[in-house]
Amino acid sequence: MKGLLVGRAAELARLARVLESAADGTAEVALVGGDAGIGKTRLVTELVAEARSRGFNVLVGQCAELGDTLPYLPLADALRGAEPAVREAAAAHPLLGQLLPGVESAPPAGLTQQRLFGSLLGLLAEVQPVLFVIEDLHWADRSTRDLLVFLSRMVQTERVCVVGTYRTDDLHRRHPLRSVLAELKRLPSVTHLELGPLGSGEMSDYVTTLGDLDAQELGVIIARAGGNPFYAEELFAAVAEGDSLPDGLASLLMSRVEVLSEPGQRVLRAAAVAGRRVEDQLLREVSGLPLADFEEAVREIVSRGLLRVDGYGYAFRHALLQEAVYTDLLPGERTRLHADFARLLTSPAELAHHHLAGHDLAGALAASAEAGRVAERLGAPAEAHSHYDRALGLWDRVPDAAELAGESRAALAFRSAVMAADSGDNHRAAQQLRALPPTSEVSERLAYYLVELDDQDGAIAAAERAVEAAADQATLARALATYARTITWSTRHTEAQDIARRAIETARAVGARDAEVGALLILALHAEHEGDMARAHSLVQTATTEDTGHLAMDLRARFHHSRLHYEQGLLAEAAEVADEGIQLALETGLNWSTYGTDLRFLRFLIHYVAGEWDQAEATAAGFGARVGTLPEAVLSSFALFIEVARGLPAVEARLNWLRPFWSDLLVAYMSRGLAAEHALWRGEPTVALEHVQAALATCEPGDPGILRLATVALWALADLGQVEGADDLLARVRFAVETGPVGERGPMGPEGQAWALRAEAEWHRVHGRLDVDLWRRVVAAFDYGFVYEAARARWRLAEALLAAGDRPGAQSEWEQARETAGKLRAAPLDNALSDFGRRARFTGGQGDGGLTAREIEVLRLVAEGLTNREIAERLFIAQKTVSVHVSNILGKLEVSTRTQAAAAARERALL
């Protein structure tokens, strides 16, 4: 590395703050842009040294100009160059281990990319603190760009810092990195730095660190370099060697090359065709020089600073030099060198690149097809699709294409379509499948993707063709299972069960376990809708007894098994199955896949309903607030259940991030419904009513989500003393209970029944009637295990009993509700109960000493022996605020120490 770091103190300080934030437990991402040669790598090198001095594990990966040819190249590069302990940890994750040298890639088992991303998150958590540097993102493959976005959104509380560098002068208007950068720059966790040219004074300081110059030479270099440190280095080298200074950077670079001996130039030209880096043995063979001549040539090149030794090979000191040498090659010379590399290489992706550049179309087709299969196994569907499409594009120009590709054109095009879908492009997948002969396999996949695209009629038609065209029983079983799935939510849903039964029978006869499980889950869904819960459980139990070999199907089966238990109020059983599914997702790296995520939020709900709120809050901490996609927004919305109920300060920030996604039904149901409860706890019923009315407007008639939303709306109307609109709300609730979303209401689970009862009770409260018997029924309904809602219902029951003149009964219910609120640390409910207790003049045992709900919350933690700092962290408040609360507690309880306060609290039954 030439020269000291000059003129970048402010930028380095910003990166150091990012690193410090990561060290403190807030994951950060930094994007460093700038023109080629401006000093991005030099700056990041200083950050790497700082990270190592702080005890960080450092991973540094380099993207290559081969682009989408080599998936996950910087990740593989980083793992290969990592410390032994990190490589050993990576090897324990099979999908990461296959990126290490000497490890064969495993055959695909489905959801490979999601598993790889999940495995990397697991590795980063194991070896944190970590600095992960990705150089030259402008050359990144699609999967690496997806990985960068994934890490930027998913790492939030880990001690992880991700830094990416890119050339701004390479980002043309349609460059694929531009949209990624635009998306990432909106995230608060992302710091963006763009390095501009150094000033004249800074350039003078920098150039003088390179060596001695007279004033005239220094002035010429500063004037010509334009603030670019790399250009300045090359100008200095030319001046030091006594060369004239040509116009333009490329000419300057080539003037340095042209002083090499003929063997030296020959070796450097071969290295430029290889790319930024090349292995010693490979370069020697391509150069065609005798060993002694080759080594002398390399020694000359390295001594002039054009190549540097890098492991067992050599790397260009800067990518600009490699580009200049490559561009200067004659067309025939370039073609021959690419052909020489293709003759010696074994990596299919590199072979495809060199064959194509060497105009060997047959070799390019064969290598592209194989490169696609390798990318598929590595979990890089976008790259696999790209390789397959390249092979298909060459098909008509190459004789014996099927023999070279190892499969027919239709088979390769089918693979390409499946990879397009796996990379998120269902439209492209459907387009490719429609162009293929309508075999059963093609039609079945088309039907599956059309369901995802909400083209129900097209999906049903494709599924019917799949069944008609099935040539064997295993294919027929899969076609039938997909057919049953396509019509389950259509007007033909009554036919689905017979089709699913036929699929199961066919699948069992030939051992097509994946098709059997898919059909079993469809049957279970229908059994649930018909109220035959015993049969639904039996079907799902059968689906989960034996793995299918298709991980997505196995996780889907476990999710639905747990969901069935949960919706019946069988929380312990639901927790057991969910934990089993989550463990499977973790073991396979699928904790961030669709059903891996579904299992985690279901487990969160089980904790929440069962009153295991510390576990629920810990789980919700992994539901990032800084959302940018709909799936992230859905997951984030779940965290509001615990944050609103505990009155945590994170609520406002999370709601602000969710606001752009309120057009989605599920996000609106959760986040706007809970925003309404948040507003009600703060005494803002008008705001609450606006939220629930907006959320209700997105619901179809009969949607079960109406039950909770309408109940909250009725609560708001009661607080406003407003009757208008209450009857319509209750009518919508009753329609949802009696009719359901498709006009055939199945049996409702205990939670739905409880919300329906509470809506009735709230409707009476709007009209000024506190119905004791009805509120008792609400308490009993929620007492199936929903701890918090039972306590909220007891609050209203206590009000009703007091109004009816039953003061002892009211105080009993109030005390039970307050005990629950205290155990849950449900501060808003506790505050409401305290206010009601003061108005009702309930004594609460020996009295609460006039303590507020927050003071009692602090007192409980004081009694546990926590310090002020620990209490502040637990309650998400300032340490100074805790100190004020403790002083007030000591004064109100008339004690002088924390120990005495804890003892007094126990005497008065405040804990």
Side-chain angles (χ1 to χ4, degrees):
M1 184 68 63
K2 293 188 177 182
L4 300 173
L5 184 67
V6 174
R8 301 298 186 196
E11 291 89 344
L12 183 59
R14 286 186 69 189
L15 289 178
R17 287 195 293 273
V18 169
L19 192 69
E20 185 175 352
S21 178
D24 291 339
T26 301
E28 295 283 345
V29 176
L31 300 171
V32 182
D35 288 350
I38 207 68
K40 302 180 294 296
T41 298
R42 184 71 183 85
L43 178 65
V44 169
T45 300
E46 288 290 325
L47 183 69
V48 166
E50 173 71 13
R52 287 198 167 108
S53 71
R54 290 177 176 230
F56 274 68
N57 281 307
V58 176
L59 301 173
V60 180
Q62 179 92 40
C63 300
E65 199 173 1
L66 296 176
D68 283 354
T69 299
L70 293 170
Y72 303 120
L73 178 62
L75 176 58
D77 190 30
L79 293 176
R80 290 166 185 168
E83 293 295 319
V86 176
R87 287 203 307 273
E88 185 177 332
H93 296 267
L95 286 169
L96 293 178
Q98 67 184 358
L99 297 176
L100 295 170
V103 179
E104 291 292 326
S105 56
L111 304 177
T112 311
Q113 184 174 61
Q114 296 177 47
R115 294 171 64 201
L116 188 142
F117 286 7
S119 296
L120 180 59
L121 273 186
L123 173 68
L124 295 177
E126 291 167 19
V127 301
Q128 59 183 318
V130 180
L131 171 63
F132 183 14
V133 177
I134 306 176
E135 288 260 44
D136 294 327
L137 283 169
H138 50 280
W139 287 330
D141 57 278
R142 161 73 183 277
S143 292
T144 294
R145 295 193 298 270
D146 290 345
L147 178 62
L148 176 64
V149 172
F150 177 80
L151 290 176
S152 300
R153 295 192 179 285
M154 293 301 108
V155 290
Q156 299 200 14
T157 58
E158 297 85 354
R159 292 185 295 156
V160 173
C161 179
V162 180
V163 176
T165 69
Y166 64 94
R167 285 194 204 169
T168 51
D169 48 338
D170 267 22
L171 300 189
H172 54 79
R173 188 167 59 88
R174 294 187 177 181
H175 195 289
L177 186 64
R178 289 181 72 95
S179 60
V180 173
L181 293 174
E183 178 182 350
L184 295 183
K185 287 175 186 177
R186 291 194 293 266
L187 298 177
S189 60
V190 174
T191 297
H192 179 239
L193 287 79
E194 189 153 327
L195 304 187
L198 294 177
S200 297
E202 295 164 335
M203 280 298 289
S204 178
D205 292 342
Y206 178 69
V207 175
T208 56
T209 69
L210 303 177
D212 296 330
L213 289 168
D214 61 35
Q216 182 180 1
E217 291 170 333
L218 178 62
V220 169
I221 290 175
I222 292 172
R224 294 282 296 276
N228 187 300
F230 176 69
Y231 200 174
E233 288 181 19
E234 294 303 312
L235 288 166
F236 174 85
V239 168
E241 294 173 3
D243 297 336
S244 60
L245 299 182
D247 293 329
L249 180 57
S251 298
L252 173 62
L253 292 172
M254 288 311 299
S255 72
R256 304 245 353 258
V257 173
E258 287 161 2
V259 301
L260 292 173
S261 64
E262 193 284 327
Q265 292 190 45
R266 183 174 177 178
V267 169
L268 198 62
R269 288 194 293 269
V273 171
R276 182 76 181 271
R277 186 187 180 282
V278 61
E279 294 293 328
D280 175 88
Q281 183 176 352
L282 182 62
L283 182 58
R284 178 168 59 83
E285 293 192 39
V286 172
S287 73
L289 292 172
L291 178 60
D293 293 348
F294 170 76
E295 290 180 345
E296 184 61 33
V298 170
R299 190 171 285 109
E300 178 189 14
I301 296 167
V302 171
S303 69
R304 289 185 175 273
L306 301 175
L307 289 181
R308 58 181 173 81
V309 176
D310 183 23
Y312 292 101
Y314 311 98
F316 279 88
R317 188 169 64 81
H318 199 283
L320 286 172
L321 178 58
Q322 182 265 330
E323 292 166 19
V325 176
Y326 184 81
T327 303
D328 192 61
L329 292 171
L330 296 172
E333 184 180 24
R334 186 181 303 152
T335 298
R336 285 190 296 274
L337 284 169
H338 276 296
D340 287 341
F341 275 106
R343 178 173 50 83
L344 297 167
L345 289 167
T346 58
S347 163
E350 290 180 290
L351 275 173
H353 167 72
H354 287 292
H355 277 310
L356 203 57
H359 306 301
D360 179 0
L361 301 187
L365 187 149
S368 293
E370 182 57 27
R373 289 187 279 267
V374 171
E376 193 175 334
R377 291 195 295 271
L378 284 174
E383 285 69 32
H385 173 64
S386 176
H387 284 303
Y388 291 145
D389 264 14
R390 183 180 297 117
L392 291 166
L394 295 170
W395 200 276
D396 292 333
R397 301 164 65 188
V398 176
D400 302 318
E403 184 178 344
L404 290 167
E407 56 190 316
S408 68
R409 183 174 193 161
L412 197 67
F414 181 76
R415 280 180 178 272
S416 181
V418 171
M419 289 299 100
D422 284 357
S423 63
D425 194 348
N426 284 329
H427 287 282
R428 172 67 173 155
Q431 180 186 32
Q432 285 190 293
L433 290 172
R434 284 189 172 113
L436 292 175
T439 64
S440 181
E441 292 88 345
V442 167
S443 297
E444 186 274 331
R445 282 295 87 188
L446 178 59
Y448 196 93
Y449 300 145
L450 290 177
V451 169
E452 301 294 320
L453 292 170
D454 293 325
D455 182 357
Q456 189 177 79
D457 292 340
I460 292 173
E464 288 173 339
R465 288 197 301 272
V467 172
E468 293 167 2
D472 58 72
Q473 293 299 290
T475 303
L476 176 61
R478 294 185 180 97
L480 288 167
T482 297
Y483 188 21
R485 179 175 181 256
T486 62
I487 64 173
T488 288
W489 297 109
S490 74
T491 55
R492 295 172 52 191
H493 60 88
T494 55
E495 303 172 37
Q497 291 194 65
D498 286 340
I499 295 170
R501 290 189 191 98
R502 185 182 166 198
I504 292 168
E505 180 182 347
T506 307
R508 285 175 176 169
V510 293
R513 177 68 178 160
D514 57 321
E516 179 189 353
V517 169
L520 284 167
L521 294 177
I522 292 294
L523 281 183
L525 185 66
H526 284 272
E528 180 185 5
H529 182 73
E530 293 167 358
D532 191 346
M533 300 308 297
R535 180 165 161 264
H537 276 292
S538 175
L539 288 164
V540 177
Q541 182 71 45
T542 302
T544 57
T545 52
E546 182 183 338
D547 289 344
T548 65
H550 292 69
L551 291 169
M553 188 66 74
D554 294 336
L555 290 174
R556 176 185 166 197
R558 284 162 176 79
F559 168 76
H560 284 296
H561 195 188
S562 180
R563 181 190 60 77
L564 278 174
H565 285 307
Y566 171 78
E567 293 186 357
Q568 279 193 281
L570 304 172
L571 301 182
E573 293 85 347
E576 182 180 353
V577 177
D579 286 341
E580 178 188 330
I582 290 168
Q583 185 61 36
L584 175 63
L586 286 171
E587 289 172 355
T588 55
L590 284 173
N591 44 319
W592 285 102
S593 68
T594 300
Y595 281 105
T597 301
D598 288 351
L599 280 161
R600 284 189 296 130
F601 79 61
L602 180 57
R603 190 64 181 92
F604 163 80
L605 287 178
I606 296 166
H607 282 311
Y608 175 75
V609 170
E612 299 160 352
W613 278 20
D614 287 343
Q615 296 95 315
E617 188 176 337
T619 302
F623 300 168
R626 305 175 305 212
V627 299
T629 65
L630 181 56
E632 291 169 1
V634 171
L635 192 61
S636 177
S637 298
F638 280 94
L640 287 169
F641 281 102
I642 192 71
E643 290 174 351
V644 168
R646 277 190 161 170
L648 301 180
V651 171
E652 294 294 340
R654 191 179 293 275
L655 285 172
N656 284 336
W657 277 97
L658 289 168
R659 196 178 305 274
F661 299 93
W662 280 352
S663 59
D664 178 76
L665 173 62
L666 184 55
V667 175
Y669 164 69
M670 288 190 290
S671 64
R672 300 209 75 166
L674 289 161
E677 291 195 22
H678 181 59
L680 284 166
W681 288 130
R682 297 170 59 179
E684 300 172 344
T686 301
V687 174
L689 200 57
E690 290 173 359
H691 278 299
V692 287
Q693 285 174 339
L696 282 166
T698 68
C699 295
E700 294 291 331
D703 189 316
I706 289 171
L707 302 181
R708 181 176 184 132
L709 290 173
T711 300
V712 175
L714 289 164
W715 174 7
L717 289 177
D719 284 4
L720 286 167
Q722 177 181 322
V723 175
E724 184 180 355
D727 291 352
D728 177 63
L729 288 167
L730 185 60
R732 294 189 68 175
V733 168
R734 288 174 174 172
F735 183 83
V737 171
E738 295 164 4
T739 309
V742 293
E744 297 178 18
R745 159 60 64 195
M748 187 170 282
E751 184 182 355
Q753 295 174 31
W755 281 110
L757 279 171
R758 184 175 160 191
E760 298 280 351
E762 291 285 359
W763 180 82
H764 282 284
R765 200 165 71 88
V766 169
H767 289 83
R769 298 187 292 273
L770 301 178
D771 190 320
V772 171
D773 290 338
L774 187 51
W775 279 110
R776 283 194 195 280
R777 290 172 61 199
V778 176
V779 170
F782 277 118
D783 247 351
Y784 74 88
F786 206 146
V787 177
Y788 176 60
E789 292 303 340
R792 289 212 292 189
R794 287 187 193 281
W795 168 35
R796 296 305 186 196
L797 175 57
E799 289 179 333
L801 287 166
L802 188 67
D806 185 355
R807 184 177 181 80
Q811 180 158 350
S812 174
E813 297 295 338
W814 173 76
E815 288 173 351
Q816 289 182 68
R818 193 152 188 217
E819 180 183 2
T820 298
K823 288 179 179 177
L824 296 176
R825 299 207 309 277
L829 176 59
D830 205 9
N831 290 335
L833 288 165
S834 295
D835 290 343
F836 172 59
R838 279 192 289 274
R839 286 185 278 105
R841 298 182 182 179
F842 292 151
T843 60
Q846 298 183 36
D848 60 12
L851 299 180
T852 66
R854 177 61 97 180
E855 287 167 351
I856 289 176
E857 194 172 14
V858 171
L859 179 56
R860 288 192 182 98
L861 298 177
V862 167
E864 291 179 20
L866 272 64
T867 65
N868 284 2
R869 181 179 63 80
E870 291 169 333
I871 294 171
E873 291 173 352
R874 181 78 65 87
L875 299 180
F876 300 96
I877 58 178
Q879 191 171 333
K880 186 175 180 181
T881 304
V882 176
S883 179
V884 171
H885 283 315
V886 171
S887 297
N888 290 340
I889 290 167
L890 296 178
K892 290 179 180 181
L893 295 181
E894 299 179 349
V895 296
S896 56
T897 68
R898 299 163 79 96
T899 304
Q900 291 172 345
R906 292 189 178 92
E907 289 175 8
R908 303 185 189 193
L910 297 179
L911 305 180

